[in-house]
PDB file of all heavy atoms in Angstrom:
ATOM      1  N   LEU Q   1     -21.108  32.253  59.906  1.00  0.00           N
ATOM      2  CA  LEU Q   1     -20.808  31.823  58.531  1.00  0.00           C
ATOM      3  C   LEU Q   1     -21.065  32.918  57.527  1.00  0.00           C
ATOM      4  O   LEU Q   1     -20.746  32.753  56.380  1.00  0.00           O
ATOM      5  CB  LEU Q   1     -21.561  30.550  58.196  1.00  0.00           C
ATOM      6  CG  LEU Q   1     -21.155  29.338  58.955  1.00  0.00           C
ATOM      7  CD1 LEU Q   1     -22.104  28.141  58.641  1.00  0.00           C
ATOM      8  CD2 LEU Q   1     -19.736  28.933  58.699  1.00  0.00           C
ATOM      9  N   LEU Q   2     -21.677  34.040  57.954  1.00  0.00           N
ATOM     10  CA  LEU Q   2     -21.956  35.113  57.029  1.00  0.00           C
ATOM     11  C   LEU Q   2     -20.691  35.954  56.818  1.00  0.00           C
ATOM     12  O   LEU Q   2     -19.782  35.992  57.657  1.00  0.00           O
ATOM     13  CB  LEU Q   2     -23.101  35.985  57.545  1.00  0.00           C
ATOM     14  CG  LEU Q   2     -24.430  35.251  57.560  1.00  0.00           C
ATOM     15  CD1 LEU Q   2     -25.476  36.097  58.349  1.00  0.00           C
ATOM     16  CD2 LEU Q   2     -24.932  34.967  56.179  1.00  0.00           C
ATOM     17  N   PRO Q   3     -20.630  36.675  55.663  1.00  0.00           N
ATOM     18  CA  PRO Q   3     -19.437  37.545  55.474  1.00  0.00           C
ATOM     19  C   PRO Q   3     -19.267  38.534  56.594  1.00  0.00           C
ATOM     20  O   PRO Q   3     -20.234  39.121  57.138  1.00  0.00           O
ATOM     21  CB  PRO Q   3     -19.764  38.241  54.170  1.00  0.00           C
ATOM     22  CG  PRO Q   3     -20.749  37.356  53.467  1.00  0.00           C
ATOM     23  CD  PRO Q   3     -21.526  36.767  54.567  1.00  0.00           C
ATOM     24  N   LYS Q   4     -18.028  38.768  56.970  1.00  0.00           N
ATOM     25  CA  LYS Q   4     -17.707  39.679  58.037  1.00  0.00           C
ATOM     26  C   LYS Q   4     -17.747  41.122  57.567  1.00  0.00           C
ATOM     27  O   LYS Q   4     -17.672  41.374  56.351  1.00  0.00           O
ATOM     28  CB  LYS Q   4     -16.291  39.386  58.646  1.00  0.00           C
ATOM     29  CG  LYS Q   4     -16.061  37.974  59.024  1.00  0.00           C
ATOM     30  CD  LYS Q   4     -16.552  37.705  60.385  1.00  0.00           C
ATOM     31  CE  LYS Q   4     -16.174  36.340  60.888  1.00  0.00           C
ATOM     32  NZ  LYS Q   4     -17.251  35.489  61.207  1.00  0.00           N
ATOM     33  N   GLY Q   5     -17.900  42.033  58.479  1.00  0.00           N
ATOM     34  CA  GLY Q   5     -17.821  43.428  58.180  1.00  0.00           C
ATOM     35  C   GLY Q   5     -16.556  44.083  58.756  1.00  0.00           C
ATOM     36  O   GLY Q   5     -15.872  43.473  59.592  1.00  0.00           O
ATOM     37  N   LEU Q   6     -16.260  45.261  58.263  1.00  0.00           N
ATOM     38  CA  LEU Q   6     -15.107  46.045  58.783  1.00  0.00           C
ATOM     39  C   LEU Q   6     -15.620  47.277  59.401  1.00  0.00           C
ATOM     40  O   LEU Q   6     -16.451  47.979  58.797  1.00  0.00           O
ATOM     41  CB  LEU Q   6     -14.080  46.286  57.715  1.00  0.00           C
ATOM     42  CG  LEU Q   6     -13.358  45.119  57.089  1.00  0.00           C
ATOM     43  CD1 LEU Q   6     -12.491  45.619  55.953  1.00  0.00           C
ATOM     44  CD2 LEU Q   6     -12.470  44.451  58.157  1.00  0.00           C
ATOM     45  N   ASP Q   7     -15.106  47.661  60.614  1.00  0.00           N
ATOM     46  CA  ASP Q   7     -15.479  48.947  61.110  1.00  0.00           C
ATOM     47  C   ASP Q   7     -14.484  50.042  60.630  1.00  0.00           C
ATOM     48  O   ASP Q   7     -13.595  49.734  59.827  1.00  0.00           O
ATOM     49  CB  ASP Q   7     -15.583  48.902  62.658  1.00  0.00           C
ATOM     50  CG  ASP Q   7     -14.244  48.612  63.307  1.00  0.00           C
ATOM     51  OD1 ASP Q   7     -13.143  48.782  62.706  1.00  0.00           O
ATOM     52  OD2 ASP Q   7     -14.282  48.176  64.500  1.00  0.00           O
ATOM     53  N   TRP Q   8     -14.639  51.237  61.120  1.00  0.00           N
ATOM     54  CA  TRP Q   8     -13.805  52.363  60.614  1.00  0.00           C
ATOM     55  C   TRP Q   8     -12.386  52.211  60.966  1.00  0.00           C
ATOM     56  O   TRP Q   8     -11.553  52.880  60.419  1.00  0.00           O
ATOM     57  CB  TRP Q   8     -14.451  53.654  61.108  1.00  0.00           C
ATOM     58  CG  TRP Q   8     -14.434  53.848  62.631  1.00  0.00           C
ATOM     59  CD1 TRP Q   8     -15.375  53.324  63.476  1.00  0.00           C
ATOM     60  CD2 TRP Q   8     -13.499  54.523  63.402  1.00  0.00           C
ATOM     61  NE1 TRP Q   8     -15.063  53.639  64.744  1.00  0.00           N
ATOM     62  CE2 TRP Q   8     -13.946  54.425  64.729  1.00  0.00           C
ATOM     63  CE3 TRP Q   8     -12.354  55.213  63.103  1.00  0.00           C
ATOM     64  CZ2 TRP Q   8     -13.259  54.960  65.790  1.00  0.00           C
ATOM     65  CZ3 TRP Q   8     -11.659  55.797  64.151  1.00  0.00           C
ATOM     66  CH2 TRP Q   8     -12.064  55.590  65.480  1.00  0.00           C
ATOM     67  N   GLU Q   9     -12.041  51.305  61.863  1.00  0.00           N
ATOM     68  CA  GLU Q   9     -10.620  51.041  62.249  1.00  0.00           C
ATOM     69  C   GLU Q   9     -10.128  49.761  61.605  1.00  0.00           C
ATOM     70  O   GLU Q   9      -9.116  49.247  61.976  1.00  0.00           O
ATOM     71  CB  GLU Q   9     -10.509  50.937  63.762  1.00  0.00           C
ATOM     72  CG  GLU Q   9     -10.767  52.234  64.491  1.00  0.00           C
ATOM     73  CD  GLU Q   9     -10.630  52.125  66.050  1.00  0.00           C
ATOM     74  OE1 GLU Q   9     -10.886  51.000  66.564  1.00  0.00           O
ATOM     75  OE2 GLU Q   9     -10.182  53.099  66.629  1.00  0.00           O
ATOM     76  N   SER Q  10     -10.887  49.279  60.682  1.00  0.00           N
ATOM     77  CA  SER Q  10     -10.548  48.038  59.868  1.00  0.00           C
ATOM     78  C   SER Q  10     -10.570  46.782  60.781  1.00  0.00           C
ATOM     79  O   SER Q  10      -9.852  45.794  60.455  1.00  0.00           O
ATOM     80  CB  SER Q  10      -9.173  48.171  59.197  1.00  0.00           C
ATOM     81  OG  SER Q  10      -9.286  49.206  58.245  1.00  0.00           O
ATOM     82  N   ASN Q  11     -11.316  46.817  61.880  1.00  0.00           N
ATOM     83  CA  ASN Q  11     -11.475  45.609  62.657  1.00  0.00           C
ATOM     84  C   ASN Q  11     -12.696  44.800  62.148  1.00  0.00           C
ATOM     85  O   ASN Q  11     -13.718  45.338  61.843  1.00  0.00           O
ATOM     86  CB  ASN Q  11     -11.754  45.975  64.125  1.00  0.00           C
ATOM     87  CG  ASN Q  11     -10.566  46.676  64.749  1.00  0.00           C
ATOM     88  OD1 ASN Q  11      -9.444  46.295  64.511  1.00  0.00           O
ATOM     89  ND2 ASN Q  11     -10.830  47.775  65.477  1.00  0.00           N
ATOM     90  N   GLN Q  12     -12.486  43.471  62.044  1.00  0.00           N
ATOM     91  CA  GLN Q  12     -13.557  42.664  61.569  1.00  0.00           C
ATOM     92  C   GLN Q  12     -14.607  42.411  62.640  1.00  0.00           C
ATOM     93  O   GLN Q  12     -14.265  42.323  63.818  1.00  0.00           O
ATOM     94  CB  GLN Q  12     -13.037  41.312  61.158  1.00  0.00           C
ATOM     95  CG  GLN Q  12     -12.508  41.178  59.760  1.00  0.00           C
ATOM     96  CD  GLN Q  12     -12.308  39.733  59.291  1.00  0.00           C
ATOM     97  OE1 GLN Q  12     -12.360  38.836  60.070  1.00  0.00           O
ATOM     98  NE2 GLN Q  12     -12.178  39.549  58.037  1.00  0.00           N
ATOM     99  N   HIS Q  13     -15.843  42.305  62.184  1.00  0.00           N
ATOM    100  CA  HIS Q  13     -16.917  41.963  63.160  1.00  0.00           C
ATOM    101  C   HIS Q  13     -17.974  41.168  62.424  1.00  0.00           C
ATOM    102  O   HIS Q  13     -18.058  41.217  61.199  1.00  0.00           O
ATOM    103  CB  HIS Q  13     -17.547  43.254  63.742  1.00  0.00           C
ATOM    104  CG  HIS Q  13     -18.108  44.156  62.770  1.00  0.00           C
ATOM    105  ND1 HIS Q  13     -19.406  44.069  62.321  1.00  0.00           N
ATOM    106  CD2 HIS Q  13     -17.594  45.174  62.099  1.00  0.00           C
ATOM    107  CE1 HIS Q  13     -19.658  44.999  61.440  1.00  0.00           C
ATOM    108  NE2 HIS Q  13     -18.545  45.667  61.237  1.00  0.00           N
ATOM    109  N   ASN Q  14     -18.759  40.406  63.120  1.00  0.00           N
ATOM    110  CA  ASN Q  14     -19.832  39.628  62.557  1.00  0.00           C
ATOM    111  C   ASN Q  14     -21.022  40.544  62.136  1.00  0.00           C
ATOM    112  O   ASN Q  14     -21.222  41.549  62.797  1.00  0.00           O
ATOM    113  CB  ASN Q  14     -20.350  38.524  63.570  1.00  0.00           C
ATOM    114  CG  ASN Q  14     -19.337  37.493  63.853  1.00  0.00           C
ATOM    115  OD1 ASN Q  14     -18.456  37.171  63.000  1.00  0.00           O
ATOM    116  ND2 ASN Q  14     -19.243  37.063  65.082  1.00  0.00           N
ATOM    117  N   ARG Q  15     -21.616  40.106  61.024  1.00  0.00           N
ATOM    118  CA  ARG Q  15     -22.799  40.903  60.578  1.00  0.00           C
ATOM    119  C   ARG Q  15     -23.967  39.948  60.551  1.00  0.00           C
ATOM    120  O   ARG Q  15     -23.829  38.766  60.270  1.00  0.00           O
ATOM    121  CB  ARG Q  15     -22.569  41.468  59.185  1.00  0.00           C
ATOM    122  CG  ARG Q  15     -21.553  42.572  59.220  1.00  0.00           C
ATOM    123  CD  ARG Q  15     -21.520  43.328  57.864  1.00  0.00           C
ATOM    124  NE  ARG Q  15     -20.967  42.511  56.852  1.00  0.00           N
ATOM    125  CZ  ARG Q  15     -20.796  42.908  55.603  1.00  0.00           C
ATOM    126  NH1 ARG Q  15     -21.146  44.115  55.239  1.00  0.00           N
ATOM    127  NH2 ARG Q  15     -20.283  42.114  54.676  1.00  0.00           N
ATOM    128  N   SER Q  16     -25.170  40.540  60.798  1.00  0.00           N
ATOM    129  CA  SER Q  16     -26.413  39.768  60.679  1.00  0.00           C
ATOM    130  C   SER Q  16     -26.824  39.669  59.193  1.00  0.00           C
ATOM    131  O   SER Q  16     -26.333  40.473  58.373  1.00  0.00           O
ATOM    132  CB  SER Q  16     -27.465  40.393  61.507  1.00  0.00           C
ATOM    133  OG  SER Q  16     -27.889  41.588  60.890  1.00  0.00           O
ATOM    134  N   TYR Q  17     -27.734  38.756  58.963  1.00  0.00           N
ATOM    135  CA  TYR Q  17     -28.282  38.697  57.580  1.00  0.00           C
ATOM    136  C   TYR Q  17     -28.834  40.011  57.143  1.00  0.00           C
ATOM    137  O   TYR Q  17     -28.597  40.520  56.025  1.00  0.00           O
ATOM    138  CB  TYR Q  17     -29.361  37.580  57.525  1.00  0.00           C
ATOM    139  CG  TYR Q  17     -30.061  37.494  56.207  1.00  0.00           C
ATOM    140  CD1 TYR Q  17     -29.484  36.861  55.140  1.00  0.00           C
ATOM    141  CD2 TYR Q  17     -31.307  38.171  56.026  1.00  0.00           C
ATOM    142  CE1 TYR Q  17     -30.118  36.825  53.921  1.00  0.00           C
ATOM    143  CE2 TYR Q  17     -31.915  38.129  54.782  1.00  0.00           C
ATOM    144  CZ  TYR Q  17     -31.386  37.476  53.746  1.00  0.00           C
ATOM    145  OH  TYR Q  17     -32.007  37.423  52.527  1.00  0.00           O
ATOM    146  N   GLU Q  18     -29.630  40.642  58.029  1.00  0.00           N
ATOM    147  CA  GLU Q  18     -30.274  41.907  57.736  1.00  0.00           C
ATOM    148  C   GLU Q  18     -29.188  42.992  57.440  1.00  0.00           C
ATOM    149  O   GLU Q  18     -29.419  43.842  56.557  1.00  0.00           O
ATOM    150  CB  GLU Q  18     -31.158  42.404  58.887  1.00  0.00           C
ATOM    151  CG  GLU Q  18     -32.346  41.475  59.120  1.00  0.00           C
ATOM    152  CD  GLU Q  18     -32.064  40.162  59.828  1.00  0.00           C
ATOM    153  OE1 GLU Q  18     -30.970  40.034  60.439  1.00  0.00           O
ATOM    154  OE2 GLU Q  18     -32.892  39.273  59.736  1.00  0.00           O
ATOM    155  N   GLU Q  19     -28.093  42.995  58.152  1.00  0.00           N
ATOM    156  CA  GLU Q  19     -27.008  43.987  57.917  1.00  0.00           C
ATOM    157  C   GLU Q  19     -26.378  43.752  56.516  1.00  0.00           C
ATOM    158  O   GLU Q  19     -25.861  44.678  55.916  1.00  0.00           O
ATOM    159  CB  GLU Q  19     -25.957  43.897  58.964  1.00  0.00           C
ATOM    160  CG  GLU Q  19     -26.396  44.407  60.305  1.00  0.00           C
ATOM    161  CD  GLU Q  19     -25.347  44.167  61.398  1.00  0.00           C
ATOM    162  OE1 GLU Q  19     -24.777  43.022  61.454  1.00  0.00           O
ATOM    163  OE2 GLU Q  19     -25.094  45.051  62.163  1.00  0.00           O
ATOM    164  N   LEU Q  20     -26.422  42.532  56.015  1.00  0.00           N
ATOM    165  CA  LEU Q  20     -25.900  42.229  54.678  1.00  0.00           C
ATOM    166  C   LEU Q  20     -26.827  42.590  53.575  1.00  0.00           C
ATOM    167  O   LEU Q  20     -26.420  43.004  52.484  1.00  0.00           O
ATOM    168  CB  LEU Q  20     -25.547  40.795  54.597  1.00  0.00           C
ATOM    169  CG  LEU Q  20     -24.274  40.311  55.423  1.00  0.00           C
ATOM    170  CD1 LEU Q  20     -24.269  38.810  55.513  1.00  0.00           C
ATOM    171  CD2 LEU Q  20     -23.049  40.809  54.758  1.00  0.00           C
ATOM    172  N   VAL Q  21     -28.123  42.519  53.793  1.00  0.00           N
ATOM    173  CA  VAL Q  21     -29.101  42.757  52.783  1.00  0.00           C
ATOM    174  C   VAL Q  21     -29.097  44.282  52.410  1.00  0.00           C
ATOM    175  O   VAL Q  21     -29.167  44.650  51.217  1.00  0.00           O
ATOM    176  CB  VAL Q  21     -30.516  42.322  53.184  1.00  0.00           C
ATOM    177  CG1 VAL Q  21     -31.557  42.799  52.178  1.00  0.00           C
ATOM    178  CG2 VAL Q  21     -30.578  40.822  53.261  1.00  0.00           C
ATOM    179  N   LEU Q  22     -29.031  45.120  53.393  1.00  0.00           N
ATOM    180  CA  LEU Q  22     -29.114  46.551  53.146  1.00  0.00           C
ATOM    181  C   LEU Q  22     -28.088  47.081  52.102  1.00  0.00           C
ATOM    182  O   LEU Q  22     -28.472  47.740  51.130  1.00  0.00           O
ATOM    183  CB  LEU Q  22     -29.002  47.349  54.462  1.00  0.00           C
ATOM    184  CG  LEU Q  22     -30.182  47.274  55.373  1.00  0.00           C
ATOM    185  CD1 LEU Q  22     -29.906  47.947  56.714  1.00  0.00           C
ATOM    186  CD2 LEU Q  22     -31.452  47.867  54.704  1.00  0.00           C
ATOM    187  N   PRO Q  23     -26.802  46.774  52.288  1.00  0.00           N
ATOM    188  CA  PRO Q  23     -25.888  47.272  51.291  1.00  0.00           C
ATOM    189  C   PRO Q  23     -25.865  46.431  49.941  1.00  0.00           C
ATOM    190  O   PRO Q  23     -25.143  46.764  49.029  1.00  0.00           O
ATOM    191  CB  PRO Q  23     -24.566  47.160  51.929  1.00  0.00           C
ATOM    192  CG  PRO Q  23     -24.681  46.157  52.990  1.00  0.00           C
ATOM    193  CD  PRO Q  23     -26.139  46.214  53.403  1.00  0.00           C
ATOM    194  N   SER Q  24     -26.636  45.345  49.944  1.00  0.00           N
ATOM    195  CA  SER Q  24     -26.682  44.482  48.761  1.00  0.00           C
ATOM    196  C   SER Q  24     -27.981  44.624  47.990  1.00  0.00           C
ATOM    197  O   SER Q  24     -28.463  43.669  47.408  1.00  0.00           O
ATOM    198  CB  SER Q  24     -26.557  43.029  49.255  1.00  0.00           C
ATOM    199  OG  SER Q  24     -25.394  42.813  50.007  1.00  0.00           O
ATOM    200  N   LYS Q  25     -28.540  45.837  47.966  1.00  0.00           N
ATOM    201  CA  LYS Q  25     -29.816  46.040  47.280  1.00  0.00           C
ATOM    202  C   LYS Q  25     -29.722  45.726  45.793  1.00  0.00           C
ATOM    203  O   LYS Q  25     -30.714  45.339  45.195  1.00  0.00           O
ATOM    204  CB  LYS Q  25     -30.241  47.518  47.460  1.00  0.00           C
ATOM    205  CG  LYS Q  25     -30.659  47.856  48.850  1.00  0.00           C
ATOM    206  CD  LYS Q  25     -31.034  49.345  48.959  1.00  0.00           C
ATOM    207  CE  LYS Q  25     -31.293  49.642  50.416  1.00  0.00           C
ATOM    208  NZ  LYS Q  25     -31.515  51.064  50.580  1.00  0.00           N
ATOM    209  N   ASP Q  26     -28.549  45.862  45.195  1.00  0.00           N
ATOM    210  CA  ASP Q  26     -28.420  45.583  43.752  1.00  0.00           C
ATOM    211  C   ASP Q  26     -28.235  44.096  43.523  1.00  0.00           C
ATOM    212  O   ASP Q  26     -28.284  43.672  42.319  1.00  0.00           O
ATOM    213  CB  ASP Q  26     -27.193  46.313  43.197  1.00  0.00           C
ATOM    214  CG  ASP Q  26     -27.388  47.800  43.236  1.00  0.00           C
ATOM    215  OD1 ASP Q  26     -28.533  48.299  43.243  1.00  0.00           O
ATOM    216  OD2 ASP Q  26     -26.339  48.521  43.214  1.00  0.00           O
ATOM    217  N   VAL Q  27     -28.124  43.282  44.543  1.00  0.00           N
ATOM    218  CA  VAL Q  27     -28.009  41.830  44.383  1.00  0.00           C
ATOM    219  C   VAL Q  27     -29.417  41.272  44.494  1.00  0.00           C
ATOM    220  O   VAL Q  27     -30.069  41.321  45.496  1.00  0.00           O
ATOM    221  CB  VAL Q  27     -27.136  41.228  45.488  1.00  0.00           C
ATOM    222  CG1 VAL Q  27     -27.116  39.719  45.308  1.00  0.00           C
ATOM    223  CG2 VAL Q  27     -25.690  41.816  45.402  1.00  0.00           C
ATOM    224  N   ALA Q  28     -29.912  40.760  43.331  1.00  0.00           N
ATOM    225  CA  ALA Q  28     -31.260  40.224  43.274  1.00  0.00           C
ATOM    226  C   ALA Q  28     -31.413  39.000  44.202  1.00  0.00           C
ATOM    227  O   ALA Q  28     -30.458  38.254  44.400  1.00  0.00           O
ATOM    228  CB  ALA Q  28     -31.611  39.873  41.842  1.00  0.00           C
ATOM    229  N   PRO Q  29     -32.616  38.782  44.680  1.00  0.00           N
ATOM    230  CA  PRO Q  29     -32.881  37.581  45.465  1.00  0.00           C
ATOM    231  C   PRO Q  29     -32.531  36.276  44.759  1.00  0.00           C
ATOM    232  O   PRO Q  29     -32.121  35.253  45.339  1.00  0.00           O
ATOM    233  CB  PRO Q  29     -34.376  37.593  45.822  1.00  0.00           C
ATOM    234  CG  PRO Q  29     -34.684  39.066  45.786  1.00  0.00           C
ATOM    235  CD  PRO Q  29     -33.794  39.645  44.655  1.00  0.00           C
ATOM    236  N   ASP Q  30     -32.617  36.269  43.427  1.00  0.00           N
ATOM    237  CA  ASP Q  30     -32.300  35.053  42.671  1.00  0.00           C
ATOM    238  C   ASP Q  30     -30.855  35.134  42.052  1.00  0.00           C
ATOM    239  O   ASP Q  30     -30.541  34.425  41.143  1.00  0.00           O
ATOM    240  CB  ASP Q  30     -33.316  34.824  41.596  1.00  0.00           C
ATOM    241  CG  ASP Q  30     -33.309  35.843  40.427  1.00  0.00           C
ATOM    242  OD1 ASP Q  30     -32.669  36.929  40.624  1.00  0.00           O
ATOM    243  OD2 ASP Q  30     -33.816  35.525  39.350  1.00  0.00           O
ATOM    244  N   HIS Q  31     -30.002  35.910  42.653  1.00  0.00           N
ATOM    245  CA  HIS Q  31     -28.619  36.086  42.151  1.00  0.00           C
ATOM    246  C   HIS Q  31     -27.897  34.785  42.040  1.00  0.00           C
ATOM    247  O   HIS Q  31     -27.233  34.515  41.044  1.00  0.00           O
ATOM    248  CB  HIS Q  31     -27.877  37.036  43.052  1.00  0.00           C
ATOM    249  CG  HIS Q  31     -26.554  37.455  42.538  1.00  0.00           C
ATOM    250  ND1 HIS Q  31     -26.445  38.470  41.573  1.00  0.00           N
ATOM    251  CD2 HIS Q  31     -25.297  37.136  42.829  1.00  0.00           C
ATOM    252  CE1 HIS Q  31     -25.194  38.672  41.309  1.00  0.00           C
ATOM    253  NE2 HIS Q  31     -24.469  37.851  42.086  1.00  0.00           N
ATOM    254  N   VAL Q  32     -28.050  33.901  43.056  1.00  0.00           N
ATOM    255  CA  VAL Q  32     -27.371  32.626  42.988  1.00  0.00           C
ATOM    256  C   VAL Q  32     -27.846  31.780  41.868  1.00  0.00           C
ATOM    257  O   VAL Q  32     -27.075  31.050  41.211  1.00  0.00           O
ATOM    258  CB  VAL Q  32     -27.448  31.851  44.385  1.00  0.00           C
ATOM    259  CG1 VAL Q  32     -28.756  31.369  44.716  1.00  0.00           C
ATOM    260  CG2 VAL Q  32     -26.411  30.728  44.463  1.00  0.00           C
ATOM    261  N   LEU Q  33     -29.150  31.848  41.557  1.00  0.00           N
ATOM    262  CA  LEU Q  33     -29.786  31.094  40.429  1.00  0.00           C
ATOM    263  C   LEU Q  33     -29.156  31.673  39.117  1.00  0.00           C
ATOM    264  O   LEU Q  33     -28.820  30.842  38.236  1.00  0.00           O
ATOM    265  CB  LEU Q  33     -31.289  31.241  40.426  1.00  0.00           C
ATOM    266  CG  LEU Q  33     -32.013  30.620  39.284  1.00  0.00           C
ATOM    267  CD1 LEU Q  33     -31.767  29.112  39.192  1.00  0.00           C
ATOM    268  CD2 LEU Q  33     -33.496  30.883  39.326  1.00  0.00           C
ATOM    269  N   GLN Q  34     -29.076  32.926  39.031  1.00  0.00           N
ATOM    270  CA  GLN Q  34     -28.498  33.536  37.817  1.00  0.00           C
ATOM    271  C   GLN Q  34     -27.074  33.091  37.562  1.00  0.00           C
ATOM    272  O   GLN Q  34     -26.717  32.778  36.452  1.00  0.00           O
ATOM    273  CB  GLN Q  34     -28.625  35.094  37.887  1.00  0.00           C
ATOM    274  CG  GLN Q  34     -29.995  35.667  37.820  1.00  0.00           C
ATOM    275  CD  GLN Q  34     -30.053  37.164  38.056  1.00  0.00           C
ATOM    276  OE1 GLN Q  34     -29.086  37.886  37.556  1.00  0.00           O
ATOM    277  NE2 GLN Q  34     -31.008  37.695  38.744  1.00  0.00           N
TER     278      GLN Q  34
END
């Protein structure tokens, strides 16, 4: 249910929660509350 990722050939793949947090450093933990 987490957002999918794209590889360098534009193929979709599943990502882990941890893989999503790294590129989302600018998204605050309380972003949904905001």
Side-chain angles (χ1 to χ4, degrees):
L1 295 172
L2 292 170
K4 307 277 188 237
L6 293 176
D7 64 20
W8 61 279
E9 293 181 328
S10 297
N11 296 316
Q12 275 195 347
H13 60 89
N14 294 325
R15 291 192 289 183
S16 69
Y17 174 81
E18 293 77 17
E19 290 173 316
L20 288 165
V21 171
L22 288 175
S24 304
K25 290 179 186 173
D26 295 335
V27 177
D30 70 341
H31 190 77
V32 71
L33 176 61
Q34 292 176 35

